[in-house]
């Protein structure tokens, strides 16, 4: 293993952490790909949004890039000839605090490849966070990755120490995972950990111990030829049954010198469509049955899934804005949850008479025209002239800024 100064290690191990999307990274330019990019301050600093809506700069880094596993898509897999580095806990904690006092970062996202074995790697990660919390009294945001097959004691400590924890499921089933990460055991090492963390987080939040906790996960999209139906059915279940805070989708991009380097990359717009449906589940009350898929089980790439739902339900539209229920207003293309909330507040006081009022409430008028009535009259252009247009609106929902299906 090469010896390097801590800052040089940070540069290398921060770069190696870029593939993990579980950092709630902001999408600063309204660009569907921007959440995959590093911040402009270095390979290891990422702008991120916290669950309470505050924006912070996260140090995003791996404890080590030396891995025992052989996941076929991963640049850190064993057997690849490359320089390898590891932090020791004190070294990483000291470096983080130095950056924190210099006001370069406010929070930490800590992940790792599996160095020697899972137990030893988790020990080092937990020790790093213990030093930060107990010795340096750091009270800021920490996201701690839980490695496949981590033991229960480590998970209990992780939930106690960190604000966010995450296990990367990577694929929607055991058979799909085998195609990309043959050594990982889906049920025993991954799903069981997600379930256990959910229980621990529930207890911690219920008992109001150690502040609010949350769990996220990530899927690699397209690497195992899985359809979107499989990813989204599991996504919905994870939100409904295990109360996950967020689920991230990472379009597969072949990495050089890996066994999958000759495969085609997954179009990034597919990742974007998955995020749009994720919003429809979490913020708009859509069910799995209401999402439109093609005959291969994929989301159509050309159109926003909410617009597709509206096109397929002519019996619902046009909708009278002054009387429609909240649930139906949320189905109008161009109306997001914030718009609907404002609209309902205004409607309690007086009628909404013109389109500019809706615009002021945040509605994307070019999408909603043709789907609404104002006091019985259509406010404008025909529906069919709008449906080919897809121009996503940048919206902030308090957790992360992303492109919403409005
Ligand atoms: S466990 Fe797999 S995905 Fe994670 S670092 Fe190792 S090889 Fe990469």
């Amino acid at each position: 293993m090469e010896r390097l100064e801590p800052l040089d290690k940070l540069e290398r191990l921060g770069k190696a952490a870029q593939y993990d999307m579980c950092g709630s990274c902001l999408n600063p330019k309204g660009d569907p790909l921007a959440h995959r990019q590093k911040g402009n301050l270095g390979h290891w600093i990422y702008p991120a949004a916290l669950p309470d809506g505050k924006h912070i700069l996260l140090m995003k880094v791996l404890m080590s890039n030396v891995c025992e596993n052989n996941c076929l898509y991963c640049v850190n897999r064993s057997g690849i000839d490359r320089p390898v580095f590891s932090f020791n806990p004190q070294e990483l904690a000291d470096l983080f605090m130095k950056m924190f006092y210099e006001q370069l970062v406010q929070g930490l996202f800590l992940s790792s490849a599996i160095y020697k074995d899972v137990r030893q790697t988790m020990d080092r990660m937990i020790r790093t966070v213990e030093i930060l919390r107990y010795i340096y009294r750091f009270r800021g945001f920490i996201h701690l990755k839980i490695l496949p097959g981590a033991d229960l004691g480590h998970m209990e400590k992780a939930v106690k120490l960190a604000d966010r924890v995450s296990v990367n499921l990577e694929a929607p089933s055991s058979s799909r995972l085998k195609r990309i990460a043959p050594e990982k055991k889906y049920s025993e090492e991954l799903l069981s950990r997600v379930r256990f963390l959910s229980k621990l987080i529930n207890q911690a939040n219920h008992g109001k111990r150690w502040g609010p906790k949350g769990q996220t996960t990530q899927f690699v999209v397209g690497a195992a030829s899985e359809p979107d139906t499989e990813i989204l059915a599991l996504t919905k279940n994870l939100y409904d049954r295990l109360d996950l805070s967020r689920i991230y989708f990472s379009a597969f991009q072949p990495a050089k010198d890996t066994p999958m380097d000759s495969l085609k990359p997954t179009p990034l717009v597919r990742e974007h469509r998955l995020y749009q449906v994720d919003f429809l589940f979490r913020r708009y009350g859509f069910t799995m049955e209401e999402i439109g898929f093609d005959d291969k089980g994929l989301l159509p790439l050309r159109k926003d899934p909410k617009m597709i739902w509206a096109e397929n339900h002519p019996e619902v539209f046009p909708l009278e804005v002054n009387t429609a229920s909240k649930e139906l207003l949320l189905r109008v293309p161009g109306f997001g949850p914030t718009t609907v909330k404002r609209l309902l507040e205004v409607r309690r006081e007086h009628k909404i008479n013109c389109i500019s009022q809706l615009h002021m409430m945040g509605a994307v008028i070019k999408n909603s025209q043709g789907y609404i009535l104002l006091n019985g009259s259509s406010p404008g252009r025909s529906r069919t002239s709008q449906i080919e247009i897809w121009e996503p609106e940048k919206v902030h929902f308090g957790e992360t800024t992303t492109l919403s299906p409005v």
Side-chain angles (χ1 to χ4, degrees):
M1 197 174 299
E2 275 188 44
R3 288 195 168 276
L4 280 182
E5 289 301 308
L7 251 182
D8 294 325
K9 270 192 210 173
L10 179 61
E11 190 66 24
R12 312 283 182 101
L13 290 168
K15 192 174 179 196
Q18 68 181 306
Y19 299 98
D20 207 313
M21 302 291 167
C22 289
S24 299
C25 292
L26 277 173
N27 175 356
K29 296 173 193 153
D31 172 353
L33 313 185
H35 67 280
R36 333 180 109 257
Q37 296 162 1
K38 65 183 173 62
N40 56 7
L41 301 171
H43 284 307
W44 36 272
I45 299 181
Y46 287 74
L50 299 186
D52 63 4
K54 281 188 198 142
H55 293 181
I56 63 166
L57 293 173
L58 274 187
M59 176 194 281
K60 187 171 168 185
V61 69
L62 298 186
M63 196 85 216
S64 170
N65 67 344
V66 190
C67 197
E68 295 299 301
N69 272 357
N70 254 313
C71 303
L72 305 181
Y73 54 88
C74 180
V75 288
N76 297 319
R77 66 196 293 269
S78 65
I80 292 190
D81 186 21
R82 68 186 192 288
V84 291
F85 313 97
S86 285
F87 276 113
N88 72 54
Q90 188 68 53
E91 181 185 36
L92 181 53
D94 287 350
L95 186 61
F96 175 80
M97 290 312 293
K98 182 171 179 290
M99 302 283 166
F100 176 70
Y101 287 128
E102 287 172 6
Q103 301 187 342
L104 289 170
V105 294
Q106 289 114 15
L108 174 67
F109 176 95
L110 180 58
S111 184
S112 187
I114 299 171
Y115 176 54
K116 294 189 179 161
D117 62 36
V118 170
R119 172 167 264 281
Q120 285 193 53
T121 312
M122 283 300 313
D123 268 345
R124 292 156 68 91
M125 293 166 76
I126 296 274
R127 183 65 198 137
T128 305
V129 182
E130 280 176 341
I131 295 169
L132 292 175
R133 292 294 198 219
Y134 300 143
I135 307 222
Y136 294 129
R137 302 273 163 204
F138 174 69
R139 294 280 168 264
F141 181 82
I142 296 180
H143 182 140
L144 190 56
K145 184 65 60 184
I146 305 296
L147 301 179
D151 69 34
L152 305 187
H154 280 138
M155 286 192 278
E156 280 169 349
K157 281 188 181 167
V159 168
K160 189 171 171 185
L161 291 164
D163 305 275
R164 275 273 187 278
V165 288
S166 56
V167 175
N168 282 358
L169 286 172
E170 311 291 25
S173 67
S174 173
S175 57
R176 298 288 178 194
L177 186 73
K178 268 206 170 51
R179 296 167 73 155
I180 56 172
E183 289 156 316
K184 288 181 184 164
K185 297 187 180 72
Y186 195 73
S187 298
E188 302 94 299
E189 292 183 349
L190 301 178
L191 209 49
S192 61
R193 269 54 190 174
V194 174
R195 287 203 187 95
F196 188 70
L197 287 172
S198 166
K199 212 164 132 190
L200 285 175
I201 288 167
N202 199 343
Q203 287 165 359
N205 287 342
H206 193 66
K208 299 204 173 8
R209 287 186 288 162
W210 317 307
K213 307 286 175 181
Q215 176 182 197
T216 66
T217 191
Q218 171 176 302
F219 293 110
V220 179
V221 177
S225 308
E226 74 293 331
D228 292 333
T229 44
E230 288 184 17
I231 295 177
L232 288 169
L234 182 58
T235 294
K236 187 78 172 83
N237 261 325
L238 291 170
Y239 283 133
D240 292 350
R241 299 192 180 180
L242 298 181
D243 209 17
L244 262 72
S245 309
R246 280 300 307 269
I247 293 173
Y248 295 88
F249 308 100
S250 173
F252 165 72
Q253 305 297 303
K256 205 167 158 263
D257 298 330
T258 62
M260 299 180 87
D261 64 1
S262 59
L263 296 192
K264 276 193 186 158
T266 301
L268 292 163
V269 65
R270 181 174 170 196
E271 177 184 299
H272 178 57
R273 294 289 178 238
L274 287 166
Y275 277 115
Q276 289 186 310
V277 174
D278 177 276
F279 268 94
L280 292 181
F281 287 159
R282 293 187 301 118
R283 304 286 176 165
Y284 295 75
F286 276 67
T287 62
M288 185 66 189
E289 292 67 38
E290 291 177 297
I291 305 299
F293 296 97
D294 67 15
D295 53 9
K296 292 189 179 123
L298 296 169
L299 293 166
L301 297 184
R302 200 171 60 84
K303 280 184 194 168
D304 177 332
K306 187 178 174 192
M307 190 68 91
I308 291 174
W309 184 90
E311 279 179 54
N312 290 338
H313 289 80
E315 75 284 4
V316 174
F317 303 105
L319 200 65
E320 174 53 60
V321 165
N322 281 297
T323 54
S325 67
K326 177 182 171 188
E327 289 69 30
L328 284 179
L329 287 170
L330 280 169
R331 302 291 162 129
V332 175
F335 283 16
T338 309
T339 299
V340 171
K341 184 169 175 274
R342 287 181 191 145
L343 193 156
L344 292 171
E345 282 164 8
V346 171
R347 213 172 69 175
R348 261 180 238 126
E349 304 297 323
H350 53 78
K351 280 193 170 179
I352 295 159
N353 294 316
C354 65
I355 205 90
S356 60
Q357 283 176 284
L358 293 174
H359 177 66
M360 303 263 288
M361 292 170 202
V364 182
I365 302 302
K366 68 180 186 303
N367 290 350
S368 54
Q369 273 182 330
Y371 290 94
I372 53 172
L373 295 174
L374 283 174
N375 302 312
S377 302
S378 170
R381 296 146 67 188
S382 76
R383 207 180 303 170
T384 47
S385 67
Q386 303 305 312
I387 55 178
E388 300 302 324
I389 298 170
W390 176 68
E391 203 175 303
E393 180 195 38
K394 185 179 156 198
V395 208
H396 184 250
F397 283 121
E399 286 174 293
T400 183
T401 304
T402 188
L403 298 174
S404 167
V406 289

